[in-house]
Amino acid sequence: MKTKRAYRYRFYPTPAQEVLLAQTFGCVRSAYNTILAWRTQAYESEQKRIDYKEASAQLTVLKKDPARSYLNEVSCVPLQQCLRHQQQAFTNFFEKRAGYPAMKSKKYRQSAEFTASAFTYRDGQLFLAKCKEPLAIRWTKGRETLPSMPSTVTVSRDTAGRYFVSLLCEVETPPLPVSPRTTGIDLGLKALFVTSEGEQIDNPRHTAKYAARLAKAQRALSRKQRGSKNRAKARHKVARLHAKIADTRRDDLHKLSHRLIHENQVVCVESLAVKNMIRYRSQSKAIADTGWGELVRQLEYKAAWTGRQLVKIDRWFPSSKRCSCCGHTLASLPLRVRDWTCPACGSHHDRDLNAAINIKAAGLAVLALGENVRGIGQVPLS
């Protein structure tokens, strides 16, 4: 099966490349924000929806404006691509899959996308449009060349000042051999998740490890005068710590999701509404630090790549309150109660293990029967 995969690497631009990329990021941001303001005004005043073709024509008008002549100093491809992304953002908004498109800020991650006409890849070297030297990419050991010619290249700079390039390639992905193992996982805070076989993966609490250093850096940032160079340096230090936390969390989740997918033919999880759960202020920081949504996202696409199946059960399924032995369901089970005894059959349960066993049973039932009931839930297969 052929799939599209993005290979992401860090690179170190030369001073000339750094200037060109800064100009490209700025032009992309300016074009995106200007066209977005124009589309918003057209909708509010005339109730008119602007499509990509009209937005592209408006970009041509902007480039002819002497006040915006800087738009002609960079490749036109990233400017067109940002309008395509904006069009998709509006499509998601009108179909109620996302909020209204927001303006881009230079304070956050910057990116520019290049299609095949705006870059050249040969002999393991990548040349961008208007750039005479190849990017100094730090390739992964043993993967100095890509499996196929990339269709798009995305260059980005994060808030910590690091540069990355993402190359989208089409590759052949043979499915993994069929495994007889299946599992259900119950996500939590004390343990990141517990499997139906009783394995418990502790919550690494990445933010807590760097809490003291982060607090010190943030206090130093708050004392710096706004607009000063010292404030920019302090802000960069805070951004580097946040990047370290995010990288560590992402690396751990990749290792866990890789193991779960390669060891099990079917993985069953709850479809949690993480964004709603973060609204509870008492636990929002701990929930955000676990990365539940990222873990499920990784399981989803890795299952699709390898021929495995990820089953999501209904979020209202009473996995913790239902006895995995006899099926009796408690009327209520406070979060502080970690162990309980079934009043019907007398079985003693660990809350998380019992939930994982129930999640696995419900997921396999849905997979086999395709039922869509409140107690089990309909499951979209990857």
Side-chain angles (χ1 to χ4, degrees):
M1 181 179 65
K2 286 189 175 182
T3 59
K4 289 187 176 182
R5 291 192 182 186
Y7 295 86
R8 183 170 178 262
Y9 304 98
R10 187 172 179 181
F11 74 96
Y12 298 86
T14 63
Q17 290 173 343
E18 197 168 348
V19 171
L20 178 61
L21 289 174
Q23 289 177 333
T24 304
F25 295 147
C27 290
V28 167
R29 188 173 62 249
S30 175
Y32 187 96
N33 292 343
T34 304
I35 298 297
L36 177 58
W38 175 66
R39 297 177 76 158
T40 302
Q41 183 180 12
Y43 183 76
E44 291 178 349
S45 60
E46 306 173 20
Q47 296 298 306
K48 180 182 178 182
R49 293 189 182 183
I50 307 296
D51 59 12
Y52 167 75
K53 185 177 180 180
E54 293 174 285
S56 181
Q58 182 64 18
L59 176 61
T60 303
V61 174
L62 287 177
K63 294 174 75 172
K64 293 179 180 179
D65 183 359
R68 298 181 184 273
S69 59
Y70 55 85
L71 294 176
N72 298 291
E73 297 175 3
V74 300
S75 172
C76 63
V77 174
L79 305 183
Q80 294 291 342
Q81 289 300 103
C82 82
L83 296 187
R84 289 189 173 92
H85 295 320
Q86 186 180 100
Q87 181 63 37
Q88 185 59 49
F90 271 104
T91 301
N92 294 337
F93 168 70
F94 287 122
E95 294 181 2
K96 298 183 179 180
R97 294 196 298 265
Y100 193 81
M103 294 284 186
K104 291 184 179 293
S105 171
K106 64 179 180 180
K107 294 182 180 179
Y108 306 113
R109 177 180 177 270
Q110 307 294 307
S111 66
E113 185 177 273
F114 299 81
T115 56
S117 61
F119 69 86
T120 302
Y121 175 77
R122 61 174 181 268
D123 300 328
Q125 292 186 319
L126 180 67
F127 296 82
L128 297 180
K130 296 183 181 291
C131 188
K132 297 180 180 179
E133 298 179 2
L135 299 184
I137 300 175
R138 180 169 289 181
W139 299 99
T140 304
K141 187 177 181 180
R143 192 183 288 169
E144 288 75 13
T145 58
L146 297 173
S148 66
M149 184 65 67
S151 58
T152 61
V153 170
T154 303
V155 179
S156 61
R157 185 186 67 211
D158 65 6
T159 53
R162 302 177 302 176
Y163 289 85
F164 296 93
V165 59
S166 179
L167 305 106
L168 186 65
C169 303
E170 188 174 54
V171 295
E172 188 71 30
T173 55
L176 292 173
V178 177
S179 172
R181 295 185 57 179
T182 60
T183 190
I185 61 174
D186 177 60
L187 303 171
L189 292 178
K190 183 178 180 181
L192 181 60
F193 64 81
V194 176
T195 69
S196 53
E197 290 72 38
E199 182 183 8
Q200 178 174 309
I201 304 298
D202 292 333
N203 185 357
R205 303 183 186 277
H206 299 289
T207 303
K209 294 179 181 178
Y210 295 90
R213 291 172 58 187
L214 191 59
K216 182 179 179 181
Q218 288 174 328
R219 284 197 301 269
L221 173 62
S222 67
R223 290 193 292 266
K224 300 297 185 290
Q225 184 178 356
R226 290 186 179 275
S228 66
K229 291 185 177 180
N230 283 336
R231 183 177 177 85
K233 293 178 183 178
R235 183 177 167 186
H236 180 71
K237 189 172 182 179
V238 172
R240 287 180 61 186
L241 282 173
H242 279 295
K244 176 67 175 178
I245 295 170
D247 290 347
T248 308
R249 182 189 300 115
R250 190 182 306 109
D251 182 64
D252 283 351
L253 293 179
H254 271 298
K255 292 174 181 176
L256 291 172
S257 60
H258 177 86
R259 184 164 67 85
L260 284 171
I261 290 297
H262 278 67
E263 290 179 354
N264 301 279
Q265 184 66 28
V266 179
V267 179
C268 307
V269 298
E270 288 180 294
S271 54
L272 299 175
V274 179
K275 287 185 178 180
N276 294 339
M277 298 173 70
I278 289 179
R279 294 176 183 174
Y280 294 96
R281 298 183 61 182
S282 60
Q283 296 181 340
S284 60
K285 187 175 181 179
I287 292 174
D289 190 36
T290 56
W292 291 337
E294 176 63 14
L295 175 62
V296 174
R297 188 190 72 86
Q298 292 181 12
L299 290 172
E300 211 162 9
Y301 75 76
K302 289 178 183 179
W305 282 356
T306 57
R308 304 302 202 201
Q309 288 179 302
L310 177 71
V311 181
K312 296 180 183 179
I313 69 168
D314 193 282
R315 72 183 61 168
W316 304 112
F317 175 68
S319 57
S320 298
K321 297 188 293 183
R322 176 172 292 185
C323 175
S324 57
C325 296
C326 67
H328 177 77
T329 304
L330 299 177
S332 64
L333 186 66
L335 191 60
R336 64 178 180 275
V337 178
R338 309 312 302 173
D339 301 88
W340 61 281
T341 302
C342 177
C345 66
S347 300
H348 187 73
H349 298 295
D350 174 82
R351 180 193 184 105
D352 298 331
L353 178 59
N354 177 69
I357 295 172
N358 284 328
I359 289 171
K360 176 181 175 179
L364 295 179
V366 172
L367 190 63
L369 305 175
E371 296 182 2
N372 183 17
V373 293
R374 179 75 171 230
I376 295 181
Q378 201 272 338
V379 180
L381 299 180
S382 297

